[in-house]
Amino acid sequence: MIQYFKHEPWSVVEEGFSPAMQEVAESVCSIGNGFMGQRGNFEETYSGNTLLGSYIGGVYYPDKTRVGWWKNGYPEYFAKVLNSTNWIGLSIEVEGEVLDLHTWTVNLFRRELDMKRGLLKRSFTATSPQGRSIEVACTRFYSLKHPDFAALEYQLKPLNFSGSVRVKMFNDGAARNKDSNYEELFWEPIPGGAQTFQEHSLLSMRTKKLNWVLSTATRNRCSLNGQALQGIGEATAAHTAHVFSATIKPGDSMRLEKFTVLCSNFRYPNADPAQTAEALLQNCGNTTFENHLLEQEQSWAEIWKRSDVVIDGDVPAQQAVRFNIFHLNQTYTGADARLNIGPKGFTGEKYGGSTYWDTEAYCIPFFLLSAPSSISRQLLEYRHRQLPKAIENATKLGFEKGAALFPMVTMNGEECHNEWEITFEEIHRNGAMAWAIHTYMEHTGDRSYLEEGGLEVLIAIARFWAQRVHWSEMKQQYVMHGVTGPNEYENNVNNNWYTNYLAVWCMNFTMRCLSELSASHPEHYAQIIHLTNLNTESELAKWKEVASSMFLPEDAKRGVFVQHEGFLDKELMPASALDKKHLPLNQKWSWDRILRSCFIKQADVLQGMYFFEDHFSLDQLERNFSFYEPMTVHESSLSPCIHSIQASRLGRKEKAYELYLRTARLDLDNYNNDTEDGLHITSMAGSYLSIVQGFAGVRIRQGVLHLNPVLPAHWNSCSFSLLVSGNLVKVFFDQKQIRIQNLGTQAVKIRIKNEESVTLGPADVRLLKVD
């Protein structure tokens, strides 16, 4: 853990330049708008360690899967999000010396991620090897209002010299991924695709294999003391630029401005990306940089109105939760059901930019509480669109009759993960898809998704579980062998409790939804039965039989559910017994040593108890938490938040707060020593949930808002807004009282500390004392 960034409530600030922290700061200061994004790289030349990264939603490369022993069912490729055209490029020469903070002396430096307005700002003064000093201030952003548009402003002032300055404002399409083999390029120029005009340029590149096209149209402007300079255009196959030259002296100010539109044929499949980019640039170029900044501030104000969490008395905690809320909202806006939320978002290349089960288990609950339900609905629709591929994935593994296995990792519904213990065995992801549908209906009361695709998904998942189990003569129960649970420090185990429990719940939930639809909308029920070719006698009978006879390992003596068969045979010890030199295990131990140990990567049994907490008593949670959490090393970013929420429910304030900070400041303080690879976007939802579901005790069940606050001892108060059945509700609580205000237009039912529910009308306020 490194506490490097200043603690500010609305900003992440780096004061003083540390080359060793450059790639970490680039990740932290990434910006985007749901359709594209970029790491916090420098605009000007930097010859030190850096990971240049500019990413476009939906654009990827299907790199060939390579394994020593090919197994039936292996995916054909591993998807890679592609580093794309670097549109921010500036090359600045002062009397022939290239501005480069790796070789110049940096005197003052400040980089700021302005989360309130969605801006990346940087200022510095630096001195060249020949003693020339300059002052720079720059700002850039990705527009929320115009999804294809981004802009930057860069101001340069000489401090102690007079002389020539040459500025090259360029776009570079020859982008390379960090993990490319043999410096392979995934983009190639389109003949005639690089053009410069008097004030703007156009650069079009095409990917190999899938022929994604990205067209980048940029307006470059440069002025000296308010007077426009004339640039000279340059174009090569993968490069466009405008070059400006001037003589400057102390007191002068040079201003550079880039307006850029990036259009892909993923986003515009029925249009020419180049023509679209030029048209959009002309439209966005008709206003000033300052007007675009105002639009950006207004767009973010709307997001913060519904999603902000305010903490009084703890600036590090306040900064952290806003940091996570900010990145989630700039990664996904719900405007395109073909897009999803990659674990790194637009901040890095690790995990290929693909979609995991993190979306359903973590991000959907976040968006259901903090955003219009249409956003979560789009995430559900994403999976429904890919149901045919999920059925195809299951068919490759030998499943039949419409059984579906949703991919562990995907871009378009096809599985693209090539580790066998994950691809074939971490099948619990199927259950997360069903749980997300259930959670959506609980929060919104909207059951229309069942008729419009949700039941098709549930039926296909139930079919998978019914075929995946087998009957054990010895146990006289159904069992499930050869799986990997959420705890990936255990592979190829038998009867993982979480997986078995999920399978039972999925089949029961599907049957309940079918029964309810049959009673309420028999015509829609008949259509779905016909569409899915469901045999309501034999198939449902099988589901009932499996669900009622599933083996769920349990240790009666300890009073805990057993993570999987054989777990209790391990040498059980708490993670606190480990010498810190062994941590993190995934960087210090061999894989076989990890597999033989009792140490748990993330919530497994406790993940199930989080999903279905109303199925278990507090005593059961207490026993399982006390048993499993001490053995958990939290080396998955998805782990601390689940344990924090459960610690709050158990009244363990200190443990809940400790784990909240770990999930909330995971990237800011580089807990896992991997922030340079990109941020942990999907797990960021956990910091919000740790407060709202954890400290505030929020649950929404059948449209009723439940509250059971447990405020950390050193916090003065906490407040937030959340959406309950489309109504914005404001919640405030401190050590003495709870205040709830209905800002919506419809009545909202609430229950506080499990007392009887009361109705809060529009504009009503309720004030209650905390016991």
Side-chain angles (χ1 to χ4, degrees):
M1 183 178 73
I2 302 173
Q3 293 184 352
Y4 177 68
F5 300 100
K6 285 189 67 178
H7 294 160
E8 299 280 354
W10 276 107
S11 296
V12 177
V13 176
E14 176 189 16
E15 283 196 343
F17 180 54
S18 170
M21 291 294 291
Q22 172 67 354
E23 290 178 274
V24 169
E26 288 175 344
S27 294
V28 166
C29 293
S30 299
I31 52 175
N33 65 4
F35 290 91
M36 56 186 182
Q38 183 178 52
R39 290 170 58 81
N41 310 120
F42 293 166
E43 289 85 356
E44 73 279 353
T45 301
Y46 183 69
S47 60
N49 289 334
T50 182
L51 173 57
L52 288 174
S54 177
Y55 309 106
I56 307 298
V59 175
Y60 67 97
Y61 182 80
D63 209 10
K64 179 68 177 175
T65 297
R66 296 183 185 280
V67 291
W69 175 29
W70 190 268
K71 300 175 180 65
N72 185 44
Y74 255 138
E76 294 291 326
Y77 64 88
F78 179 77
K80 289 181 177 178
V81 62
L82 291 187
N83 187 11
S84 61
T85 298
N86 176 25
W87 69 270
I88 66 172
L90 300 176
S91 176
I92 299 170
E93 296 180 19
V94 177
E95 282 289 297
E97 292 184 277
V98 176
L99 172 59
D100 180 349
L101 295 192
H102 188 61
T103 58
W104 287 39
T105 300
V106 181
N107 306 310
L108 296 172
F109 182 93
R110 191 176 196 272
R111 176 163 34 188
E112 177 188 1
L113 182 66
D114 180 344
M115 299 181 292
K116 192 169 189 177
R117 298 191 293 162
L119 310 176
L120 176 57
K121 299 183 286 189
R122 185 165 57 103
S123 60
F124 62 87
T125 62
T127 303
S128 74
Q130 297 299 315
R132 300 180 181 90
S133 296
I134 62 169
E135 177 183 299
V136 167
C138 50
T139 299
R140 77 173 184 259
F141 64 91
Y142 278 73
S143 172
L144 286 180
K145 184 172 182 179
H146 307 285
D148 307 289
F149 178 71
L152 71 84
E153 178 198 53
Y154 194 100
Q155 297 188 55
L156 182 151
K157 298 177 181 179
L159 297 179
N160 65 350
F161 71 95
S162 297
S164 65
V165 173
R166 182 179 184 271
V167 175
K168 184 176 184 179
M169 305 173 70
F170 65 87
N171 293 331
D172 182 13
R176 180 176 282 112
N177 273 48
K178 181 179 181 179
D179 65 350
S180 63
N181 297 316
Y182 312 109
E183 301 298 302
E184 181 184 8
L185 291 173
F186 299 123
W187 294 93
E188 54 190 14
I190 294 175
Q195 303 174 68
T196 58
F197 307 93
Q198 182 174 347
E199 199 176 56
H200 79 280
S201 65
L202 179 65
L203 176 63
S204 294
M205 302 290 294
R206 178 185 287 114
T207 68
K208 299 174 182 177
K209 289 190 177 180
L210 295 184
N211 293 320
W212 296 119
V213 173
L214 176 65
S215 294
T216 305
T218 298
R219 191 194 73 184
N220 295 311
R221 285 180 177 173
C222 179
S223 63
L224 180 62
N225 300 326
Q227 297 297 311
L229 300 178
Q230 185 66 44
I232 299 173
E234 294 182 354
T236 58
H239 191 95
T240 59
H242 282 92
V243 179
F244 302 87
S245 299
T247 300
I248 59 175
K249 62 183 184 302
D252 285 347
S253 177
M254 178 174 277
R255 183 174 189 261
L256 316 176
E257 183 184 270
K258 293 187 84 168
F259 282 6
T260 298
V261 168
L262 299 101
C263 290
S264 71
N265 58 348
F266 173 86
R267 179 152 157 74
Y268 298 100
N270 300 316
D272 181 342
Q275 292 179 4
T276 305
E278 288 206 283
L280 289 174
L281 179 64
Q282 185 175 9
N283 178 57
C284 293
N286 288 331
T287 188
T288 64
F289 187 82
E290 290 71 22
N291 284 340
H292 280 295
L293 285 180
L294 181 60
E295 288 179 349
Q296 184 77 343
E297 184 173 355
Q298 291 169 342
S299 296
W300 273 105
E302 286 299 310
I303 291 174
W304 288 117
K305 180 180 177 181
R306 57 174 166 76
S307 66
D308 191 21
V309 173
V310 180
I311 299 168
D312 182 14
D314 191 339
V315 174
Q318 175 68 88
Q319 179 190 46
V321 71
R322 282 185 174 143
F323 175 74
N324 292 298
I325 293 168
F326 172 78
H327 275 291
L328 280 161
N329 278 288
Q330 71 169 4
T331 301
Y332 187 77
T333 65
D336 189 335
R338 299 174 301 160
L339 296 175
N340 208 285
I341 308 160
K344 295 295 180 186
F346 299 115
T347 72
E349 298 162 15
K350 193 174 180 181
Y351 303 121
S354 302
T355 299
Y356 285 62
W357 68 283
D358 310 15
T359 292
E360 282 71 25
Y362 295 80
C363 298
I364 282 182
F366 164 77
F367 283 115
L368 281 170
L369 290 166
S370 68
S373 60
S374 58
I375 291 180
S376 299
R377 177 72 178 251
Q378 288 283 68
L379 291 170
L380 296 181
E381 178 61 27
Y382 177 88
R383 295 296 187 179
H384 177 244
R385 282 171 174 257
Q386 297 179 356
L387 179 58
K389 287 290 185 183
I391 293 173
E392 182 182 310
N393 292 337
T395 302
K396 290 177 181 177
L397 301 182
F399 295 87
E400 301 174 331
K401 299 177 181 177
L405 176 59
F406 281 90
M408 184 67 185
V409 176
T410 194
M411 280 290 189
N412 64 359
E414 294 176 310
E415 178 65 74
C416 56
H417 193 285
N418 60 5
E419 295 177 23
W420 67 269
E421 68 275 15
I422 305 298
T423 306
F424 300 137
E425 298 198 335
E426 201 163 335
I427 54 177
H428 66 82
R429 71 238 192 192
N430 248 17
M433 311 303 151
W435 182 82
I437 295 171
H438 168 265
T439 304
Y440 172 81
M441 293 194 301
E442 283 283 289
H443 278 71
T444 67
D446 175 17
R447 304 184 71 80
S448 65
Y449 178 68
L450 280 179
E451 302 168 21
E452 297 168 11
L455 255 176
E456 295 172 52
V457 172
L458 293 176
I459 289 167
I461 289 172
R463 283 169 161 165
F464 172 84
W465 292 125
Q467 294 177 41
R468 183 58 172 79
V469 301
H470 69 272
W471 179 255
S472 167
E473 287 293 338
M474 186 174 74
K475 288 184 171 64
Q476 288 294 295
Q477 286 180 288
Y478 283 98
V479 296
M480 207 178 318
H481 286 187
V483 304
T484 297
N487 172 28
E488 293 172 339
Y489 288 176
E490 299 278 5
N491 299 153
N492 198 34
V493 301
N494 295 336
N495 293 311
N496 171 255
W497 179 88
Y498 171 74
T499 306
N500 287 16
Y501 196 90
L502 257 183
V504 170
W505 176 84
C506 286
M507 288 183 280
N508 283 331
F509 177 57
T510 303
M511 288 187 286
R512 185 167 74 247
C513 289
L514 283 166
S515 176
E516 290 173 359
L517 186 62
S518 174
S520 62
H521 295 88
E523 68 286 358
H524 293 147
Y525 172 80
Q527 290 171 3
I528 290 170
I529 298 303
H530 175 73
L531 180 65
T532 60
N533 197 27
L534 179 68
N535 188 317
T536 56
E537 291 187 12
S538 63
E539 289 195 78
L540 267 60
K542 176 69 172 180
W543 299 351
K544 288 177 184 176
E545 180 188 351
V546 173
S548 63
S549 303
M550 181 74 83
F551 175 63
L552 296 166
E554 187 172 355
D555 180 46
K557 182 179 179 181
R558 293 181 174 88
V560 299
F561 304 117
V562 180
Q563 184 173 280
H564 59 81
E565 288 189 286
F567 182 80
L568 297 181
D569 293 332
K570 291 174 177 283
E571 182 183 4
L572 303 179
M573 66 178 71
S576 59
L578 288 166
D579 190 314
K580 289 187 177 179
K581 70 181 182 181
H582 293 289
L583 299 173
L585 299 183
N586 57 24
Q587 296 176 22
K588 302 296 179 64
W589 280 13
S590 65
W591 191 243
D592 75 291
R593 188 177 182 185
I594 289 174
L595 292 175
R596 287 184 281 112
S597 80
C598 69
F599 300 116
I600 300 169
K601 181 183 179 185
Q602 67 190 84
D604 197 303
V605 167
L606 293 175
Q607 182 76 39
M609 299 191 80
Y610 164 73
F611 273 179
F612 307 111
E613 69 174 25
D614 56 335
H615 295 192
F616 309 103
S617 68
L618 271 178
D619 286 343
Q620 286 176 304
L621 177 60
E622 179 71 58
R623 290 193 297 272
N624 282 276
F625 188 91
S626 297
F627 182 69
Y628 285 110
E629 196 283 329
M631 290 185 281
T632 304
V633 289
H634 300 293
E635 289 178 7
S636 164
S637 64
L638 301 174
S639 183
C641 61
I642 299 299
H643 293 84
S644 177
I645 293 166
Q646 291 170 328
S648 287
R649 187 163 177 248
L650 294 170
R652 300 188 183 189
K653 289 187 180 183
E654 291 185 7
K655 173 59 75 171
Y657 180 74
E658 169 202 329
L659 292 167
Y660 162 74
L661 274 190
R662 180 156 182 170
T663 193
R665 299 196 64 86
L666 178 72
D667 291 311
L668 286 172
D669 294 342
N670 200 9
Y671 268 83
N672 289 350
N673 194 32
D674 61 358
T675 301
E676 67 273 14
D677 294 330
L679 305 179
H680 297 82
I681 299 296
T682 48
S683 69
M684 286 179 168
S687 65
Y688 176 91
L689 298 175
S690 295
I691 293 175
V692 175
Q693 292 183 341
F695 301 138
V698 165
R699 303 292 186 274
I700 297 180
R701 297 192 177 108
Q702 296 182 336
V704 178
L705 169 61
H706 296 247
L707 284 160
N708 193 10
V710 182
L711 192 71
H714 65 287
W715 287 12
N716 297 324
S717 66
C718 179
S719 63
F720 53 86
S721 297
L722 69 160
L723 288 155
V724 184
S725 298
N727 287 273
L728 191 66
V729 176
K730 184 81 172 179
V731 177
F732 168 93
F733 63 106
D734 59 19
Q735 303 292 355
K736 296 181 179 179
Q737 65 180 4
I738 306 168
R739 184 178 185 270
I740 308 171
Q741 183 179 10
N742 183 359
L743 301 175
T745 59
Q746 297 177 328
V748 174
K749 287 186 177 182
I750 59 172
R751 287 186 69 180
I752 298 175
K753 291 185 174 290
N754 296 319
E755 297 295 329
E756 274 191 42
S757 65
V758 296
T759 300
L760 203 63
D764 279 358
V765 177
R766 183 166 292 268
L767 196 65
L768 298 114
K769 290 184 179 180
V770 175
D771 295 335

